[in-house]
């Protein structure tokens, strides 16, 4: 029985985009133990939605305090060293290093043209070519397919080390994210049916100006809008001049997004979580390509400036309002 190490450490949106491929791999190979290395903040999401065991890591903390974190590091590495194969869905130096440290003899990953940090290619001995015109969810499916095919991407012409024929990995139906969403204290029930704004983003160039969120809120009806926020983003939410959600855990945020009537935001993890939960979304895209990183279930529900200015500043309130009206009637 071949055990497989899944490597997709972060961030939220990327983890969400990897779950369908891992779920398909688990369905096609129920006999193969899967172990997913993921940042501790996303451990519950992976275990509940993907249904696989995890190895939680805290890479930033470990890098800053390796001595005080040595027991956590040792435990994680020990858990990883139980596998025969690895699949690196991340393509970074840190994920590549973990693949090598795991001792996996067969290490799948994207080929050099698709890998994010080129030095990470040194850890891959089963490179996989993917169709880079497709969404990243489809990239991940193709990578998982390579790990399920008896001869796919074998550069040495040999069969698999275990000699088995494996069923193909195929895209599966919608993944059920709803069990992850929880509001145990009932602090978010008042926002059921609200329009949720996501003014924050992981990078400054993905931020839509707060004054435009403010104008959009007026046009949609300020009393119907609530602004959600994460670490370091509260001032953005408060600047819109609408109701501000209380501090939330990731599971509580999922509850808020699940019960929203509409979610508006940039290319962020919460927008992809809302899409995965089946909520209607409007995505605002400037520097990132929505064909690769857009809401997977609602690809047309984006204002796209990637092929023109690549600037969030060039997205007008009128454009967003028009799309909001179309999506709400969808």
């Amino acid at each position: 029985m071949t055990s497989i190490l899944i490597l997709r450490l972060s961030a939220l949106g990327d983890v969400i985009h990897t779950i369908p491929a891992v779920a398909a791999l688990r369905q096609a190979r129920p006999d193969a133990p899967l172990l997913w290395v993921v940042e501790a903040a996303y451990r519950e999401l992976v275990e509940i939605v993907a249904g696989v065991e995890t190895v939680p890591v805290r890479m930033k903390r470990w890098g800053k305090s390796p001595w005080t974190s040595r027991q956590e590091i040792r435990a994680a590495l020990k858990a990883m060293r139980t596998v025969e194969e690895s699949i690196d869905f991340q393509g970074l130096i840190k994920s590549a290093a973990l693949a090598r440290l795991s001792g996996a003899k067969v290490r799948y990953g994207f080929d050099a043209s698709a890998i994010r940090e080129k030095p990470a290619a040194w850890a891959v001995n089963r490179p996989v070519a993917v169709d880079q015109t497709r969404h990243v969810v489809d990239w991940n499916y193709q990578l998982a397919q390579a790990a399920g095919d008896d001869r796919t991407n074998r550069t040495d012409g040999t069969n698999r080390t275990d000699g088995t024929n494996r069923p193909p990995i195929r895209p599966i139906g919608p993944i059920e994210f709803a069990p992850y969403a929880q509001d145990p204290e009932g602090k978010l029930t008042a926002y059921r049916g609200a329009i949720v704004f996501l003014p924050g983003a992981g990078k400054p160039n993905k931020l839509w100006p707060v004054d435009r969120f403010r104008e959009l809120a007026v046009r949609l009806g300020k009393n119907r809008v609530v602004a959600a926020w994460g670490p370091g983003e509260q001032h953005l939410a408060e600047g819109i001049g609408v109701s501000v959600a209380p501090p939330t855990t990731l599971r509580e945020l999922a509850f808020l997004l699940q019960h929203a009537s509409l979610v508006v935001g940039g290319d962020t993890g919460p927008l992809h979580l809302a899409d995965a939960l089946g909520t209607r979304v409007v995505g605002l895209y400037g520097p990132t390509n929505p064909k690769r990183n857009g809401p997977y279930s609602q690809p047309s529900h984006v204002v796209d400036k990637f092929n023109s200015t690549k600037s969030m500043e060039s997205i007008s309130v009128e454009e967003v309002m028009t799309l909001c009206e179309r999506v709400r009637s969808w």
Side-chain angles (χ1 to χ4, degrees):
M1 182 186 303
T2 301
S3 53
I4 303 172
L5 191 71
I6 306 297
L7 294 153
R8 178 76 250 189
L9 284 63
S10 61
L12 176 59
D14 297 310
V15 171
I16 290 168
H17 287 156
T18 306
I19 284 176
V22 176
L25 183 64
R26 180 173 57 85
Q27 178 174 290
R29 295 178 56 185
D31 61 322
L34 303 183
L35 194 61
W36 189 329
V37 183
V38 68
E39 284 287 337
Y42 311 123
R43 179 180 191 175
E44 279 190 315
L45 175 66
V46 166
E47 291 180 344
I48 292 170
V49 180
V52 299
E53 187 179 349
T54 61
V55 177
V57 296
R58 295 176 174 84
M59 299 300 286
K60 287 185 179 180
R61 180 193 298 180
W62 293 357
K64 291 178 180 179
S65 306
W67 178 251
T68 57
S69 303
R70 64 189 184 280
Q71 291 184 341
E72 280 189 358
I73 296 171
R74 190 178 296 118
L77 291 176
K78 182 179 179 180
M80 292 180 211
R81 288 173 180 148
T82 61
V83 302
E84 288 82 40
E85 297 183 5
S86 68
I87 310 176
D88 186 354
F89 289 96
Q90 190 142 8
L92 299 182
I93 294 170
K94 61 184 179 182
S95 57
L98 292 177
R100 289 300 298 264
L101 288 170
S102 74
K105 294 181 180 179
V106 178
R107 298 182 299 277
Y108 290 92
F110 298 113
D111 71 4
S113 68
I115 207 160
R116 289 179 61 190
E117 293 182 351
K118 301 306 180 185
W122 68 276
V124 176
N125 59 16
R126 298 292 185 269
V128 178
V130 296
D131 183 352
Q132 296 180 47
T133 66
R134 304 287 298 276
H135 195 283
V136 69
V137 170
D138 299 313
W139 292 28
N140 292 334
Y141 269 125
Q142 292 172 46
L143 184 52
Q145 174 66 67
D149 190 334
D150 191 39
R151 287 179 176 268
T152 298
N153 294 292
R154 289 295 173 142
T155 57
D156 57 5
T158 62
N159 288 327
R160 304 193 67 91
T161 55
D162 59 9
T164 59
N165 291 314
R166 294 174 178 170
I169 310 299
R170 301 291 186 223
I172 60 179
I175 307 297
E176 186 58 69
F177 278 76
Y180 178 71
Q182 295 288 329
D183 180 25
E185 298 178 6
K187 64 184 183 183
L188 299 170
T189 55
Y191 300 111
R192 284 177 178 266
I195 299 170
V196 175
F197 283 1
L198 302 170
K203 296 180 179 179
N205 66 346
K206 292 184 180 182
L207 293 172
W208 196 45
V210 169
D211 62 329
R212 297 187 197 177
F213 271 113
R214 189 183 307 122
E215 183 180 343
L216 181 65
V218 171
R219 297 186 61 172
L220 288 170
K222 291 175 62 175
N223 62 330
R224 306 175 63 190
V225 178
V226 59
W229 52 281
E233 298 173 351
Q234 187 172 359
H235 68 288
L236 297 175
E238 292 173 344
I240 298 173
V242 296
S243 295
V244 176
T248 59
T249 66
L250 191 54
R251 296 191 72 173
E252 290 167 342
L253 175 62
F255 180 91
L256 177 67
L257 299 174
Q258 179 187 21
H259 295 285
S261 61
L262 177 69
V263 174
V264 182
D267 178 18
T268 66
L271 183 83
H272 297 299
L273 181 56
D275 177 51
L277 286 161
T279 303
R280 297 177 185 184
V281 303
V282 166
L284 312 179
Y285 282 73
T288 52
N289 185 356
K291 289 185 177 180
R292 181 190 185 279
N293 293 100
Y296 188 65
S297 301
Q298 303 170 63
S300 65
H301 294 181
V302 297
V303 178
D304 177 11
K305 298 299 180 181
F306 179 75
N307 292 311
S308 55
T309 65
K310 291 183 170 57
S311 172
M312 298 294 284
E313 294 277 350
S314 64
I315 298 175
S316 70
V317 174
E318 188 62 38
E319 288 177 293
V320 180
M321 184 66 194
T322 298
L323 183 56
C324 286
E325 290 176 337
R326 178 166 67 83
V327 170
R328 290 167 68 190
S329 64
W330 171 58

